[in-house]
Amino acid sequence: MTAPDEESRPPIIELDAVNFSYAADAAPALDAVSLRIAAGEFLGVIGPSGAGKTTLACAMSGAIPHHFRGALYGSVTVDGMDTCEVSLTDISRVVGSVLQDIDTQMVASVVEDEMLFGLENFGVPHDQIDGRLVEALETVGIADLRDREIATLSGGQKQKVAIAAILALKPRVLVMDEPTAALDPESSRLVFETLRAVNETAGVTVVVIEQKVALLSRYCSRIAVMGEGRIQIEGTPHEVFARATDLRRLGVDSPRTVRISNSLVKRGLSPAGTDPSLDVAEAEGLIRSLVPAGAADEMPASDPAPSPHVPAARAHAVGAEPVVELTGVGFSYGPGAAAVRDLDVTVYPGELVGIVGQNGAGKTTLTKLLCGLLRPSEGAVRIAGMDTADLPTSKIAAHVATLFQNPDRQICKDTVLDEVAFGLELTGTDAATARERARAVVERFGLPLDESPFVLSRGQRQMVALASVVVMEPEVVLLDEPTSGLDYRECMTVMETVREMAERGSAVIMVCHDMEVVSDFAERIVVMADGRILARGDAAAIFADEGLMHAASVEAPQVVRLAHRLAESVSPAFSIGVTEVADIVRITEELIHRG
């Protein structure tokens, strides 16, 4: 469904019965896809891994058929041009795209040179180049990175550089494939605010493929949901998220506020047909309208129910020696480059600790110090009681398994089974036992045993890399953005597996930008900013500290923010450690029945 005002606009991109397969004997990646995108529209695309979202982006940007060959049927037109009949350069003057894998999009070693590459190649007049460059960098919030070497940037900072480089070209259409996958919450919001600004003020058509459904629901005028190469659901955000059951069947998540409003309808507490609450403000308004005046007067604050994901403190962690210790740790990449200072962290067996903070805060550097890829210039890092200063990396690897931010940096074998067994074989496990253990883990993750990891989707490659960590049964597990690029089902599979590893005694340290995941699974949180640790402690207490969240450029989970607002506007019953959808629904129901 298209909004009435969009139906009257001419299409800037149109797909008519498009089928595409990457090989003659392969299943279609796009199956009879018809889609009309009006000039000036802001379209969001969601769906599970392997649904065809990236292929759709490639068709819109002209990468199909000019870069990716295969069997293409139907037609794709961009600004009236059939993409099969014009050059990729012609299409690129209309459509700017940001790829899912940022490293493959970078062509220069310094940020300024990366920006200049496109501007000069597109023949932008020299007297306009510097102005465009500065404007784009400032728009994305990275003016201070202009002279930095790209190799020294975090994944999120690279993402911002890629977006700035495209914005500088002033395209009429922006097609972005998961542009916030590596970004912290505040940076993700900034990207979407930037996209909304160029959409509303410059009339740029925006198409965003994204797993962060709360962002899409807040900013997009229309959402298309893909599954099995087809568009399964289409409509406004309210129309799409009203179909939560269908979305869950497809493997697509809904914002937590949508879950709350839909649960209230399901329990008969809100009228049938009530629009889903797409954000905290809408959810607060709905609950305020449902709770009778005076119902909260005598209801005291109460402790919330325990999270179904985060277990109670485990006995085997009590009284145990720490397995990870950082004491006064410092490290710098060089003069003027990023650095970490005064890092003090202690983690015990069986703990699941979340590391949160803005891009460039030093989170990934911390994990590299733990696994021995970097050595501290001051302070000490101890793993399983051993000071790592003089330990070879291979010795540290016997105790620490790492999942990198980019799974492609740790995949090297021809089949999934061989990849997952590889680490065991390196540590001396005989081939037959290694493959037997690997097979069990691969099947548990639902991955194809004999497929090449390199032909799988980004999310599936992430799961292959994690399976390679799980099979090692390490004492310490380091996860750098383990849910980046994963769909809802994959995310839950990964995180339940991570939780079970902690329950079996592994110390899990997880760098994560998804605050909903951190809230659901982490017992403790370490908050970082500007290379330092700002705070550490219980997840609920940390997220409730609004000043701390602001200082770290972190946005607390929707449920926590909603509970804070409801505690002020409806009842103090929402004020104590509420972190779950079920907590909000339960307290609301009690208040309604009291009235």
Side-chain angles (χ1 to χ4, degrees):
M1 180 180 295
T2 305
D5 62 324
E6 289 164 356
E7 290 178 352
S8 62
R9 301 181 201 163
I12 188 80
I13 294 179
E14 191 163 16
L15 290 83
D16 184 16
V18 173
N19 284 264
F20 180 78
S21 300
Y22 287 96
D25 58 348
L30 296 179
D31 186 2
V33 172
S34 294
L35 182 64
R36 181 185 188 276
I37 302 173
E41 188 174 357
F42 196 139
L43 174 71
V45 181
I46 57 177
S49 293
K53 305 185 299 299
T54 295
T55 305
L56 178 69
C58 290
M60 292 179 182
S61 67
I64 294 174
H66 295 286
H67 181 66
F68 296 106
R69 302 291 180 178
L72 173 64
Y73 301 94
S75 67
V76 181
T77 56
V78 173
D79 194 27
M81 302 179 292
D82 189 315
T83 57
C84 290
E85 298 176 356
V86 296
S87 70
L88 185 56
T89 300
D90 292 329
I91 300 168
S92 298
R93 294 188 183 278
V94 179
V95 181
S97 60
V98 175
L99 307 177
Q100 193 174 29
D101 185 350
I102 291 302
D103 288 331
T104 64
Q105 191 159 345
M106 298 292 177
V107 297
S109 60
V110 176
V111 170
E112 180 177 326
D113 293 340
E114 181 68 31
M115 302 286 294
L116 291 173
F117 179 82
L119 291 167
E120 292 176 345
N121 274 277
F122 271 64
V124 175
H126 282 280
D127 60 349
Q128 297 180 21
I129 285 179
D130 192 65
R132 285 206 196 183
L133 190 154
V134 170
E135 180 185 8
L137 290 173
E138 290 179 346
T139 296
V140 183
I142 55 171
D144 59 319
L145 300 183
R146 179 170 178 168
D147 299 320
R148 282 278 297 275
E149 291 189 10
I150 290 174
T152 68
L153 302 180
S154 70
Q157 289 170 324
K158 290 179 184 177
Q159 192 91 4
K160 292 181 183 180
V161 171
I163 294 170
I166 295 300
L167 287 177
L169 299 176
K170 297 188 181 298
R172 293 173 59 197
V173 181
L174 278 172
V175 176
M176 307 192 125
D177 193 356
E178 300 202 24
T180 72
L183 299 184
D184 61 66
E186 181 60 24
S187 295
S188 297
R189 186 193 62 78
L190 174 63
V191 165
F192 270 81
E193 287 287 352
T194 301
L195 294 177
R196 177 157 65 183
V198 299
N199 174 252
E200 293 180 351
T201 62
V204 175
T205 304
V206 178
V207 180
V208 182
I209 295 168
E210 186 59 81
Q211 297 288 1
K212 296 176 182 177
V213 290
L215 281 174
L216 290 184
S217 68
R218 190 189 313 177
Y219 290 94
C220 295
S221 57
R222 184 163 61 111
I223 292 176
V225 184
M226 293 195 70
E228 299 179 340
R230 301 177 181 177
I231 294 176
Q232 305 281 355
I233 302 172
E234 192 179 346
T236 67
H238 281 107
E239 291 168 340
V240 167
F241 288 110
R243 299 177 60 177
T245 301
D246 294 332
L247 292 174
R248 185 63 61 90
R249 175 179 53 80
L250 289 168
V252 175
D253 196 13
S254 296
R256 301 301 168 97
T257 52
V258 169
R259 294 191 201 177
I260 289 168
S261 56
N262 287 345
S263 294
L264 293 172
V265 171
K266 187 175 181 180
R267 287 173 176 258
L269 303 172
S270 183
T274 299
D275 276 345
S277 299
L278 299 182
D279 56 32
V280 169
E282 288 188 6
E284 181 193 15
L286 173 64
I287 291 172
R288 287 181 65 181
S289 73
L290 296 176
V291 175
D297 291 348
E298 298 180 3
M299 185 173 177
S302 59
D303 291 330
S307 165
H309 302 295
V310 178
R314 290 180 284 277
H316 62 256
V318 177
E321 291 295 319
V323 69
V324 172
E325 293 177 277
L326 284 82
T327 308
V329 170
F331 175 84
S332 174
Y333 289 96
V340 294
R341 301 170 298 282
D342 303 322
L343 300 184
D344 291 297
V345 178
T346 303
V347 184
Y348 291 86
E351 282 196 295
L352 203 167
V353 178
I355 313 290
V356 304
Q358 83 263 44
N359 293 113
K363 305 182 301 297
T364 296
T365 300
L366 185 153
T367 64
K368 289 179 178 179
L369 288 163
L370 287 173
C371 68
L373 292 178
L374 298 175
R375 302 302 169 118
S377 56
E378 56 188 48
V381 176
R382 298 180 68 83
I383 301 292
M386 299 178 294
D387 191 319
T388 63
D390 299 317
L391 281 181
T393 303
S394 59
K395 289 275 190 181
I396 299 172
H399 302 272
V400 180
T402 304
L403 175 66
F404 296 126
Q405 198 170 26
N406 184 347
D408 295 338
R409 292 180 175 172
Q410 61 190 107
I411 291 176
C412 61
K413 290 296 184 178
D414 293 331
T415 71
V416 171
L417 181 60
D418 289 342
E419 181 65 43
V420 177
F422 183 53
L424 288 171
E425 293 176 13
L426 283 178
T427 57
T429 304
D430 67 87
T433 302
R435 292 176 69 82
E436 181 181 351
R437 287 172 59 181
R439 182 182 296 273
V441 173
V442 170
E443 290 176 346
R444 176 183 178 183
F445 275 65
L447 294 165
L449 288 164
D450 299 320
E451 288 267 14
S452 167
F454 300 102
V455 304
L456 302 180
S457 71
R458 167 66 166 76
Q460 289 171 315
R461 297 199 303 276
Q462 185 87 340
M463 294 181 73
V464 171
L466 179 62
S468 302
V469 170
V470 170
V471 77
M472 300 296 292
E473 299 180 353
E475 293 170 76
V476 180
V477 182
L478 303 179
L479 307 173
D480 195 353
E481 300 296 344
T483 63
S484 174
L486 301 186
D487 65 33
Y488 176 71
R489 286 176 182 156
E490 291 171 337
C491 179
M492 288 299 100
T493 298
V494 164
M495 291 312 303
E496 289 295 344
T497 302
V498 169
R499 178 185 58 79
E500 290 170 11
M501 293 176 75
E503 288 187 330
R504 290 197 297 269
S506 294
V508 179
I509 300 171
M510 174 179 69
V511 172
C512 190
H513 285 141
D514 189 332
M515 295 303 109
E516 308 293 353
V517 169
V518 174
S519 177
D520 282 348
F521 290 94
E523 301 157 62
R524 286 198 296 124
I525 298 177
V526 175
V527 183
M528 294 189 68
D530 301 320
R532 294 181 182 272
I533 293 174
L534 298 186
R536 56 177 70 75
D538 172 74
I542 290 289
F543 281 134
D545 188 334
E546 290 185 314
L548 175 62
M549 294 293 95
H550 177 74
S553 298
V554 171
E555 187 175 59
Q558 281 190 330
V559 172
V560 174
R561 287 182 283 125
L562 176 60
H564 179 79
R565 292 176 65 156
L566 291 173
E568 293 183 342
S569 64
V570 177
S571 168
F574 292 101
S575 65
I576 299 182
V578 173
T579 60
E580 297 285 327
V581 167
D583 298 332
I584 299 284
V585 174
R586 173 181 56 80
I587 295 170
T588 301
E589 184 171 21
E590 291 175 5
L591 289 169
I592 291 173
H593 290 329
R594 277 177 174 266

